[in-house]
Amino acid sequence: MHPRFFHDPSRRRVVLAAFAAGAGLVGASTVRAQGKYPSQPIRIVVPFGPGGLADISTRLTAQKLGEKLGTQVVIDNRPGAGGVVAAQYVLGAAHDGYTLILFSNGTTIATSLLKLPFDPQADFVPVSSLGYFDLNLLVAKDSPFADLKALLAESKKRQLTLGTINPGSTQHLSGELFKSVTQLNAAIVPFRTSGEVQMALQRGDVDVGFESYAALRGGIDAGVLRALATTGPARTPWLPKVPTVKEAGVAGYEVTGWNALFAPKGTPPAVAAALNAAMRDILAEAELRKRLLGLGVDPKASTQAEMATVFERDRLKWAQVIKQANIKI
C-alpha cells in the first residue's frame, strides 16, 4: 500500500481501527512458530544525545528488557534533524525486530512542523509506551505569584513573559496552548537549554517557565524554583502537593509528554507482540518503576493499539496548535 494512503485522515482512522482490532490476536505460539526470538542483540536507536531524560530512561529500560529477553539490548544515540537521522537508519536496517526506535510526543509535533522524509505512522508500528511525564508552570522562589490564579490575574494588567526551550518543542507548544486556553497575555521567550530557562526565572528575566521536573529537578528540589501547577490529568508522584492546571481552576488544558518504542513496518507481528509483552512485564517491576519515578517519568506500558491511538491524538492536537499560533521553523 502506498504511504500516501496514510496521509488521508479518514483512511488513517480506518487503518488505526483495523490495527486495534487485530493487534491482540497474535500470541506467543506464533512467536514459537517463527523461531526463537531474540537470537541476537537488539538495538534501540534514540534520536537524542546521551545524558538526557529520554536517553537515561531508555537505558534503564533497555537493561531490564535485555534481562527479560535473555539478550543484550544496546542504545544507539543518533540525534539531529528532528529525528530524521535515527528514523532513516532504522528504516534502512532489517525489519526483523532487532532494530527499534524511540519516538516521543515530539515526533507527533514534527509531522506538522517539519517536512519529514518518512511518515512515522505509515513506516513504523508501535511496540509499547515506555513512560509519561508532565510539564510544570514554574516561577522563581521569590515570585509574587503565589498560585496560578494570581498569575492569570496579573496578565490582565500587563503582558507577561513565558520562558521555554526551543521553538517547536513540546514546552513551547504547551505554552502556546496554555495561552490559547486561558487567554493569557504573555510573550513566549525561547531559550536554547533548560538551564537557561532556570537562570532567566531566577534573574527575573521571565515571569513563568514551562519545563519538565526532570530537566529542572535540581532547582525545584532545592526550592530555587516553585511549581504553580502541573500539566497532566493527575498530580505527579514527584510533586504530590502541586495541583494540576485543572485543579488550579483552568478547564480544558492537559499536556502529557511520552516516550515509546516503535519498530519499522514489516516487523513480524509476533515479534512486536513479544516485545510488547516483555515491556509490560518489566515496567510493572518495582525496582525499575522506582528508578524511573525518581527521574520524573511515570513508567507505563501500553498495548500496541493504545500507543497508535495516543500518537494520532497528539498528532491532531499539536497540528491544531501549530496552525492557530502560525508557528514555522
Side-chain angles (χ1 to χ4, degrees), residues 263-322:
K265 184 182 179 183
T267 299
V271 169
L275 286 165
N276 177 270
M279 287 290 289
R280 293 167 73 82
D281 285 345
I282 65 171
L283 289 173
E285 293 180 4
E287 179 187 354
L288 181 57
R289 289 187 58 81
K290 181 179 179 180
R291 298 185 71 180
L292 290 175
L293 285 169
L295 293 173
V297 176
D298 184 9
K300 190 178 299 180
S302 67
T303 67
Q304 293 176 259
E306 286 169 346
M307 193 62 242
T309 299
V310 168
F311 193 105
E312 175 66 356
R313 178 201 67 197
D314 282 5
R315 184 190 69 81
L316 294 173
K317 174 180 183 175
W318 296 124
Q320 184 65 20
V321 172
I322 290 167

Tab-separated table of all heavy atoms in Angstrom, residues 263-322:
chain	number	residue	atom	x	y	z
A	263	ALA	N	8.786	0.016	15.978
A	263	ALA	CA	9.558	-0.844	15.089
A	263	ALA	C	9.213	-0.491	13.647
A	263	ALA	O	8.110	-0.002	13.375
A	263	ALA	CB	9.234	-2.321	15.362
A	264	PRO	N	10.129	-0.723	12.723
A	264	PRO	CA	9.804	-0.428	11.324
A	264	PRO	C	8.685	-1.326	10.814
A	264	PRO	O	8.575	-2.492	11.213
A	264	PRO	CB	11.115	-0.689	10.588
A	264	PRO	CG	11.876	-1.612	11.472
A	264	PRO	CD	11.497	-1.250	12.873
A	265	LYS	N	7.847	-0.755	9.959
A	265	LYS	CA	6.772	-1.539	9.366
A	265	LYS	C	7.365	-2.743	8.637
A	265	LYS	O	8.396	-2.636	7.979
A	265	LYS	CB	5.980	-0.681	8.385
A	265	LYS	CG	4.776	-1.386	7.798
A	265	LYS	CD	4.066	-0.501	6.795
A	265	LYS	CE	2.870	-1.216	6.172
A	265	LYS	NZ	2.220	-0.371	5.136
A	266	GLY	N	6.714	-3.875	8.774
A	266	GLY	CA	7.228	-5.106	8.198
A	266	GLY	C	7.848	-6.010	9.241
A	266	GLY	O	8.132	-7.179	8.967
A	267	THR	N	8.053	-5.475	10.454
A	267	THR	CA	8.496	-6.315	11.559
A	267	THR	C	7.440	-7.385	11.813
A	267	THR	O	6.247	-7.080	11.862
A	267	THR	CB	8.692	-5.474	12.832
A	267	THR	OG1	9.704	-4.492	12.588
A	267	THR	CG2	9.099	-6.343	14.008
A	268	PRO	N	7.810	-8.649	11.931
A	268	PRO	CA	6.811	-9.704	12.151
A	268	PRO	C	5.896	-9.370	13.324
A	268	PRO	O	6.384	-9.003	14.407
A	268	PRO	CB	7.665	-10.944	12.436
A	268	PRO	CG	8.949	-10.677	11.721
A	268	PRO	CD	9.184	-9.198	11.835
A	269	PRO	N	4.592	-9.437	13.147
A	269	PRO	CA	3.660	-9.105	14.244
A	269	PRO	C	3.921	-9.888	15.515
A	269	PRO	O	3.768	-9.355	16.618
A	269	PRO	CB	2.293	-9.443	13.645
A	269	PRO	CG	2.472	-9.299	12.168
A	269	PRO	CD	3.873	-9.761	11.896
A	270	ALA	N	4.339	-11.151	15.375
A	270	ALA	CA	4.607	-11.956	16.566
A	270	ALA	C	5.793	-11.412	17.352
A	270	ALA	O	5.822	-11.465	18.585
A	270	ALA	CB	4.866	-13.404	16.162
A	271	VAL	N	6.782	-10.880	16.647
A	271	VAL	CA	7.950	-10.298	17.304
A	271	VAL	C	7.556	-9.024	18.040
A	271	VAL	O	7.949	-8.798	19.190
A	271	VAL	CB	9.055	-10.020	16.263
A	271	VAL	CG1	10.167	-9.178	16.880
A	271	VAL	CG2	9.627	-11.324	15.727
A	272	ALA	N	6.775	-8.170	17.376
A	272	ALA	CA	6.306	-6.940	18.025
A	272	ALA	C	5.475	-7.275	19.256
A	272	ALA	O	5.567	-6.593	20.289
A	272	ALA	CB	5.492	-6.106	17.035
A	273	ALA	N	4.663	-8.319	19.166
A	273	ALA	CA	3.841	-8.734	20.307
A	273	ALA	C	4.702	-9.260	21.453
A	273	ALA	O	4.417	-9.008	22.625
A	273	ALA	CB	2.842	-9.799	19.866
A	274	ALA	N	5.781	-9.986	21.118
A	274	ALA	CA	6.684	-10.492	22.150
A	274	ALA	C	7.387	-9.336	22.861
A	274	ALA	O	7.546	-9.347	24.091
A	274	ALA	CB	7.704	-11.440	21.525
A	275	LEU	N	7.805	-8.329	22.108
A	275	LEU	CA	8.433	-7.152	22.696
A	275	LEU	C	7.443	-6.403	23.594
A	275	LEU	O	7.790	-5.935	24.678
A	275	LEU	CB	8.944	-6.227	21.592
A	275	LEU	CG	10.201	-6.691	20.855
A	275	LEU	CD1	10.392	-5.882	19.563
A	275	LEU	CD2	11.432	-6.551	21.748
A	276	ASN	N	6.213	-6.300	23.131
A	276	ASN	CA	5.193	-5.621	23.918
A	276	ASN	C	4.962	-6.348	25.245
A	276	ASN	O	4.879	-5.714	26.306
A	276	ASN	CB	3.886	-5.545	23.134
A	276	ASN	CG	2.761	-4.921	23.941
A	276	ASN	OD1	2.019	-5.616	24.629
A	276	ASN	ND2	2.637	-3.610	23.877
A	277	ALA	N	4.885	-7.664	25.192
A	277	ALA	CA	4.663	-8.436	26.416
A	277	ALA	C	5.812	-8.245	27.395
A	277	ALA	O	5.604	-8.107	28.612
A	277	ALA	CB	4.496	-9.913	26.075
A	278	ALA	N	7.042	-8.215	26.873
A	278	ALA	CA	8.208	-8.027	27.725
A	278	ALA	C	8.195	-6.637	28.357
A	278	ALA	O	8.514	-6.475	29.544
A	278	ALA	CB	9.485	-8.234	26.918
A	279	MET	N	7.829	-5.622	27.577
A	279	MET	CA	7.764	-4.258	28.102
A	279	MET	C	6.713	-4.151	29.203
A	279	MET	O	6.932	-3.494	30.226
A	279	MET	CB	7.451	-3.280	26.977
A	279	MET	CG	8.604	-3.026	26.025
A	279	MET	SD	9.942	-2.068	26.799
A	279	MET	CE	9.161	-0.449	26.916
A	280	ARG	N	5.598	-4.800	29.022
A	280	ARG	CA	4.542	-4.755	30.023
A	280	ARG	C	5.004	-5.408	31.333
A	280	ARG	O	4.667	-4.950	32.423
A	280	ARG	CB	3.281	-5.427	29.486
A	280	ARG	CG	2.655	-4.643	28.334
A	280	ARG	CD	1.598	-5.441	27.601
A	280	ARG	NE	0.384	-5.580	28.379
A	280	ARG	CZ	-0.568	-4.653	28.465
A	280	ARG	NH1	-0.434	-3.512	27.813
A	280	ARG	NH2	-1.655	-4.855	29.166
A	281	ASP	N	5.792	-6.459	31.206
A	281	ASP	CA	6.294	-7.139	32.398
A	281	ASP	C	7.318	-6.280	33.144
A	281	ASP	O	7.225	-6.098	34.366
A	281	ASP	CB	6.924	-8.480	32.019
A	281	ASP	CG	5.887	-9.546	31.676
A	281	ASP	OD1	4.696	-9.346	31.999
A	281	ASP	OD2	6.264	-10.568	31.070
A	282	ILE	N	8.307	-5.753	32.427
A	282	ILE	CA	9.397	-5.062	33.122
A	282	ILE	C	8.949	-3.716	33.693
A	282	ILE	O	9.444	-3.289	34.737
A	282	ILE	CB	10.626	-4.875	32.208
A	282	ILE	CG1	10.307	-3.954	31.028
A	282	ILE	CG2	11.150	-6.217	31.734
A	282	ILE	CD1	11.549	-3.581	30.226
A	283	LEU	N	8.005	-3.047	33.013
A	283	LEU	CA	7.552	-1.747	33.517
A	283	LEU	C	6.595	-1.884	34.700
A	283	LEU	O	6.190	-0.885	35.289
A	283	LEU	CB	6.902	-0.941	32.393
A	283	LEU	CG	7.886	-0.421	31.347
A	283	LEU	CD1	7.158	0.219	30.181
A	283	LEU	CD2	8.873	0.576	31.962
A	284	ALA	N	6.271	-3.124	35.047
A	284	ALA	CA	5.483	-3.379	36.257
A	284	ALA	C	6.374	-3.753	37.430
A	284	ALA	O	5.900	-3.860	38.566
A	284	ALA	CB	4.480	-4.513	35.997
A	285	GLU	N	7.688	-3.924	37.186
A	285	GLU	CA	8.615	-4.313	38.235
A	285	GLU	C	8.905	-3.124	39.160
A	285	GLU	O	9.161	-2.014	38.703
A	285	GLU	CB	9.918	-4.834	37.630
A	285	GLU	CG	9.760	-6.150	36.875
A	285	GLU	CD	11.074	-6.638	36.295
A	285	GLU	OE1	12.121	-5.986	36.557
A	285	GLU	OE2	11.066	-7.655	35.568
A	286	ALA	N	8.899	-3.386	40.448
A	286	ALA	CA	9.042	-2.321	41.445
A	286	ALA	C	10.371	-1.577	41.325
A	286	ALA	O	10.418	-0.347	41.450
A	286	ALA	CB	8.900	-2.915	42.847
A	287	GLU	N	11.455	-2.301	41.088
A	287	GLU	CA	12.778	-1.668	41.036
A	287	GLU	C	12.871	-0.657	39.895
A	287	GLU	O	13.322	0.481	40.087
A	287	GLU	CB	13.863	-2.726	40.879
A	287	GLU	CG	15.266	-2.125	40.802
A	287	GLU	CD	16.340	-3.154	40.474
A	287	GLU	OE1	16.023	-4.360	40.424
A	287	GLU	OE2	17.494	-2.733	40.254
A	288	LEU	N	12.462	-1.075	38.692
A	288	LEU	CA	12.537	-0.175	37.544
A	288	LEU	C	11.579	0.993	37.713
A	288	LEU	O	11.917	2.141	37.394
A	288	LEU	CB	12.227	-0.937	36.254
A	288	LEU	CG	12.299	-0.110	34.957
A	288	LEU	CD1	13.675	0.524	34.790
A	288	LEU	CD2	11.953	-0.973	33.747
A	289	ARG	N	10.407	0.714	38.240
A	289	ARG	CA	9.436	1.792	38.457
A	289	ARG	C	10.006	2.846	39.405
A	289	ARG	O	9.867	4.055	39.170
A	289	ARG	CB	8.128	1.225	39.023
A	289	ARG	CG	7.318	0.404	38.021
A	289	ARG	CD	5.957	0.028	38.621
A	289	ARG	NE	5.210	1.225	39.004
A	289	ARG	CZ	4.520	1.972	38.160
A	289	ARG	NH1	4.498	1.679	36.882
A	289	ARG	NH2	3.861	3.035	38.582
A	290	LYS	N	10.641	2.406	40.474
A	290	LYS	CA	11.208	3.339	41.444
A	290	LYS	C	12.269	4.222	40.803
A	290	LYS	O	12.317	5.446	41.035
A	290	LYS	CB	11.792	2.559	42.620
A	290	LYS	CG	12.387	3.451	43.708
A	290	LYS	CD	12.935	2.610	44.858
A	290	LYS	CE	13.543	3.514	45.936
A	290	LYS	NZ	14.081	2.704	47.082
A	291	ARG	N	13.128	3.623	39.985
A	291	ARG	CA	14.210	4.382	39.357
A	291	ARG	C	13.671	5.387	38.346
A	291	ARG	O	14.159	6.515	38.263
A	291	ARG	CB	15.214	3.431	38.708
A	291	ARG	CG	15.904	2.507	39.695
A	291	ARG	CD	16.976	1.660	39.049
A	291	ARG	NE	18.145	2.467	38.685
A	291	ARG	CZ	19.228	1.960	38.107
A	291	ARG	NH1	19.279	0.659	37.825
A	291	ARG	NH2	20.253	2.739	37.812
A	292	LEU	N	12.666	4.992	37.570
A	292	LEU	CA	12.108	5.900	36.580
A	292	LEU	C	11.304	7.024	37.247
A	292	LEU	O	11.373	8.183	36.828
A	292	LEU	CB	11.243	5.132	35.589
A	292	LEU	CG	12.009	4.205	34.634
A	292	LEU	CD1	11.039	3.398	33.776
A	292	LEU	CD2	12.960	4.994	33.744
A	293	LEU	N	10.552	6.675	38.286
A	293	LEU	CA	9.812	7.701	39.014
A	293	LEU	C	10.763	8.727	39.628
A	293	LEU	O	10.457	9.920	39.702
A	293	LEU	CB	8.948	7.065	40.100
A	293	LEU	CG	7.683	6.355	39.624
A	293	LEU	CD1	7.068	5.542	40.765
A	293	LEU	CD2	6.665	7.363	39.088
A	294	GLY	N	11.936	8.264	40.043
A	294	GLY	CA	12.931	9.168	40.602
A	294	GLY	C	13.453	10.167	39.582
A	294	GLY	O	13.954	11.237	39.948
A	295	LEU	N	13.322	9.833	38.305
A	295	LEU	CA	13.744	10.740	37.234
A	295	LEU	C	12.632	11.702	36.820
A	295	LEU	O	12.878	12.635	36.057
A	295	LEU	CB	14.163	9.924	36.002
A	295	LEU	CG	15.422	9.068	36.121
A	295	LEU	CD1	15.581	8.215	34.867
A	295	LEU	CD2	16.652	9.934	36.329
A	296	GLY	N	11.423	11.449	37.306
A	296	GLY	CA	10.299	12.254	36.866
A	296	GLY	C	9.555	11.630	35.703
A	296	GLY	O	8.875	12.323	34.947
A	297	VAL	N	9.684	10.318	35.549
A	297	VAL	CA	8.995	9.575	34.492
A	297	VAL	C	8.023	8.594	35.128
A	297	VAL	O	8.409	7.835	36.027
A	297	VAL	CB	9.993	8.801	33.598
A	297	VAL	CG1	9.256	7.966	32.564
A	297	VAL	CG2	10.960	9.763	32.910
A	298	ASP	N	6.781	8.620	34.676
A	298	ASP	CA	5.784	7.665	35.148
A	298	ASP	C	5.836	6.454	34.228
A	298	ASP	O	5.358	6.505	33.096
A	298	ASP	CB	4.396	8.300	35.115
A	298	ASP	CG	3.326	7.372	35.682
A	298	ASP	OD1	3.676	6.316	36.247
A	298	ASP	OD2	2.128	7.697	35.532
A	299	PRO	N	6.448	5.340	34.656
A	299	PRO	CA	6.606	4.179	33.780
A	299	PRO	C	5.264	3.509	33.511
A	299	PRO	O	4.537	3.164	34.439
A	299	PRO	CB	7.540	3.261	34.569
A	299	PRO	CG	7.352	3.656	35.992
A	299	PRO	CD	6.997	5.104	36.000
A	300	LYS	N	4.960	3.340	32.245
A	300	LYS	CA	3.664	2.772	31.912
A	300	LYS	C	3.726	2.164	30.509
A	300	LYS	O	4.001	2.856	29.540
A	300	LYS	CB	2.577	3.836	31.963
A	300	LYS	CG	1.159	3.311	31.869
A	300	LYS	CD	0.150	4.451	31.984
A	300	LYS	CE	0.261	5.171	33.301
A	300	LYS	NZ	-0.720	6.280	33.434
A	301	ALA	N	3.483	0.867	30.444
A	301	ALA	CA	3.418	0.197	29.148
A	301	ALA	C	2.017	0.348	28.564
A	301	ALA	O	1.065	0.661	29.284
A	301	ALA	CB	3.763	-1.283	29.297
A	302	SER	N	1.901	0.141	27.280
A	302	SER	CA	0.613	0.213	26.592
A	302	SER	C	0.481	-0.983	25.670
A	302	SER	O	1.461	-1.674	25.384
A	302	SER	CB	0.531	1.494	25.751
A	302	SER	OG	1.460	1.429	24.669
A	303	THR	N	-0.709	-1.223	25.197
A	303	THR	CA	-0.848	-2.148	24.084
A	303	THR	C	-0.383	-1.428	22.826
A	303	THR	O	-0.239	-0.198	22.802
A	303	THR	CB	-2.307	-2.601	23.896
A	303	THR	OG1	-3.093	-1.470	23.481
A	303	THR	CG2	-2.884	-3.172	25.180
A	304	GLN	N	-0.177	-2.185	21.762
A	304	GLN	CA	0.236	-1.555	20.505
A	304	GLN	C	-0.873	-0.635	19.986
A	304	GLN	O	-0.602	0.460	19.486
A	304	GLN	CB	0.566	-2.631	19.472
A	304	GLN	CG	1.811	-3.446	19.823
A	304	GLN	CD	2.047	-4.554	18.818
A	304	GLN	OE1	1.730	-5.701	19.078
A	304	GLN	NE2	2.587	-4.189	17.671
A	305	ALA	N	-2.096	-1.075	20.121
A	305	ALA	CA	-3.226	-0.276	19.641
A	305	ALA	C	-3.381	1.005	20.449
A	305	ALA	O	-3.683	2.065	19.889
A	305	ALA	CB	-4.512	-1.103	19.701
A	306	GLU	N	-3.180	0.917	21.761
A	306	GLU	CA	-3.276	2.114	22.601
A	306	GLU	C	-2.242	3.152	22.194
A	306	GLU	O	-2.525	4.348	22.136
A	306	GLU	CB	-3.093	1.728	24.072
A	306	GLU	CG	-4.292	1.018	24.677
A	306	GLU	CD	-3.992	0.418	26.031
A	306	GLU	OE1	-2.784	0.311	26.410
A	306	GLU	OE2	-4.946	0.035	26.732
A	307	MET	N	-1.025	2.692	21.897
A	307	MET	CA	0.028	3.632	21.508
A	307	MET	C	-0.285	4.274	20.162
A	307	MET	O	-0.015	5.460	19.951
A	307	MET	CB	1.378	2.906	21.450
A	307	MET	CG	2.563	3.851	21.361
A	307	MET	SD	2.696	4.916	22.813
A	307	MET	CE	2.511	6.543	22.075
A	308	ALA	N	-0.860	3.510	19.260
A	308	ALA	CA	-1.266	4.069	17.968
A	308	ALA	C	-2.308	5.169	18.170
A	308	ALA	O	-2.268	6.208	17.493
A	308	ALA	CB	-1.820	2.966	17.069
A	309	THR	N	-3.223	4.954	19.089
A	309	THR	CA	-4.262	5.950	19.370
A	309	THR	C	-3.669	7.202	19.994
A	309	THR	O	-4.041	8.328	19.640
A	309	THR	CB	-5.325	5.345	20.312
A	309	THR	OG1	-5.930	4.214	19.673
A	309	THR	CG2	-6.403	6.364	20.641
A	310	VAL	N	-2.734	7.035	20.943
A	310	VAL	CA	-2.080	8.183	21.578
A	310	VAL	C	-1.333	9.010	20.534
A	310	VAL	O	-1.398	10.249	20.538
A	310	VAL	CB	-1.114	7.705	22.687
A	310	VAL	CG1	-0.209	8.849	23.146
A	310	VAL	CG2	-1.890	7.153	23.870
A	311	PHE	N	-0.623	8.347	19.653
A	311	PHE	CA	0.138	9.060	18.624
A	311	PHE	C	-0.797	9.901	17.751
A	311	PHE	O	-0.540	11.078	17.507
A	311	PHE	CB	0.907	8.067	17.751
A	311	PHE	CG	1.952	8.726	16.877
A	311	PHE	CD1	3.289	8.633	17.199
A	311	PHE	CD2	1.595	9.445	15.739
A	311	PHE	CE1	4.273	9.243	16.416
A	311	PHE	CE2	2.554	10.063	14.948
A	311	PHE	CZ	3.891	9.962	15.288
A	312	GLU	N	-1.880	9.304	17.291
A	312	GLU	CA	-2.810	10.030	16.412
A	312	GLU	C	-3.489	11.172	17.149
A	312	GLU	O	-3.675	12.270	16.592
A	312	GLU	CB	-3.855	9.059	15.853
A	312	GLU	CG	-4.945	9.721	15.008
A	312	GLU	CD	-4.442	10.325	13.711
A	312	GLU	OE1	-3.215	10.313	13.458
A	312	GLU	OE2	-5.275	10.838	12.943
A	313	ARG	N	-3.847	10.957	18.410
A	313	ARG	CA	-4.475	12.017	19.204
A	313	ARG	C	-3.559	13.219	19.320
A	313	ARG	O	-3.968	14.372	19.107
A	313	ARG	CB	-4.807	11.477	20.591
A	313	ARG	CG	-5.434	12.497	21.548
A	313	ARG	CD	-5.247	12.053	22.990
A	313	ARG	NE	-3.844	12.085	23.389
A	313	ARG	CZ	-3.365	11.458	24.460
A	313	ARG	NH1	-4.169	10.721	25.224
A	313	ARG	NH2	-2.070	11.546	24.769
A	314	ASP	N	-2.288	12.964	19.654
A	314	ASP	CA	-1.355	14.068	19.824
A	314	ASP	C	-0.982	14.712	18.494
A	314	ASP	O	-0.734	15.921	18.427
A	314	ASP	CB	-0.104	13.586	20.556
A	314	ASP	CG	-0.318	13.449	22.051
A	314	ASP	OD1	-1.462	13.647	22.502
A	314	ASP	OD2	0.648	13.131	22.773
A	315	ARG	N	-0.924	13.921	17.447
A	315	ARG	CA	-0.636	14.496	16.118
A	315	ARG	C	-1.691	15.540	15.758
A	315	ARG	O	-1.359	16.647	15.318
A	315	ARG	CB	-0.604	13.397	15.056
A	315	ARG	CG	-0.211	13.896	13.662
A	315	ARG	CD	-0.442	12.831	12.621
A	315	ARG	NE	-1.865	12.585	12.418
A	315	ARG	CZ	-2.640	13.344	11.656
A	315	ARG	NH1	-2.159	14.402	11.040
A	315	ARG	NH2	-3.922	13.054	11.515
A	316	LEU	N	-2.939	15.207	15.957
A	316	LEU	CA	-4.025	16.140	15.649
A	316	LEU	C	-3.999	17.347	16.581
A	316	LEU	O	-4.223	18.485	16.150
A	316	LEU	CB	-5.371	15.414	15.752
A	316	LEU	CG	-5.632	14.313	14.719
A	316	LEU	CD1	-6.915	13.563	15.051
A	316	LEU	CD2	-5.693	14.895	13.318
A	317	LYS	N	-3.734	17.092	17.857
A	317	LYS	CA	-3.714	18.165	18.856
A	317	LYS	C	-2.660	19.212	18.527
A	317	LYS	O	-2.945	20.416	18.474
A	317	LYS	CB	-3.443	17.554	20.232
A	317	LYS	CG	-3.257	18.559	21.365
A	317	LYS	CD	-2.991	17.789	22.661
A	317	LYS	CE	-2.877	18.702	23.859
A	317	LYS	NZ	-2.743	17.914	25.118
A	318	TRP	N	-1.423	18.768	18.281
A	318	TRP	CA	-0.340	19.712	18.043
A	318	TRP	C	-0.432	20.351	16.666
A	318	TRP	O	-0.003	21.506	16.495
A	318	TRP	CB	1.000	19.042	18.257
A	318	TRP	CG	1.201	18.598	19.678
A	318	TRP	CD1	1.488	17.343	20.122
A	318	TRP	CD2	1.110	19.414	20.863
A	318	TRP	NE1	1.581	17.322	21.491
A	318	TRP	CE2	1.354	18.580	21.967
A	318	TRP	CE3	0.843	20.773	21.079
A	318	TRP	CZ2	1.345	19.051	23.274
A	318	TRP	CZ3	0.831	21.241	22.379
A	318	TRP	CH2	1.080	20.387	23.463
A	319	ALA	N	-1.000	19.649	15.712
A	319	ALA	CA	-1.203	20.251	14.395
A	319	ALA	C	-2.115	21.465	14.500
A	319	ALA	O	-1.895	22.497	13.846
A	319	ALA	CB	-1.785	19.226	13.423
A	320	GLN	N	-3.132	21.356	15.353
A	320	GLN	CA	-4.060	22.467	15.546
A	320	GLN	C	-3.376	23.634	16.255
A	320	GLN	O	-3.585	24.801	15.896
A	320	GLN	CB	-5.270	21.994	16.358
A	320	GLN	CG	-6.353	23.039	16.558
A	320	GLN	CD	-7.034	23.454	15.262
A	320	GLN	OE1	-6.969	22.732	14.265
A	320	GLN	NE2	-7.678	24.606	15.259
A	321	VAL	N	-2.554	23.332	17.268
A	321	VAL	CA	-1.834	24.392	17.986
A	321	VAL	C	-0.882	25.118	17.037
A	321	VAL	O	-0.803	26.355	17.027
A	321	VAL	CB	-1.049	23.806	19.176
A	321	VAL	CG1	-0.155	24.872	19.808
A	321	VAL	CG2	-2.007	23.238	20.214
A	322	ILE	N	-0.170	24.363	16.236
A	322	ILE	CA	0.785	24.946	15.282
A	322	ILE	C	0.073	25.834	14.274
A	322	ILE	O	0.534	26.934	13.957
A	322	ILE	CB	1.557	23.817	14.562
A	322	ILE	CG1	2.505	23.132	15.543
A	322	ILE	CG2	2.333	24.359	13.361
A	322	ILE	CD1	3.086	21.831	15.041
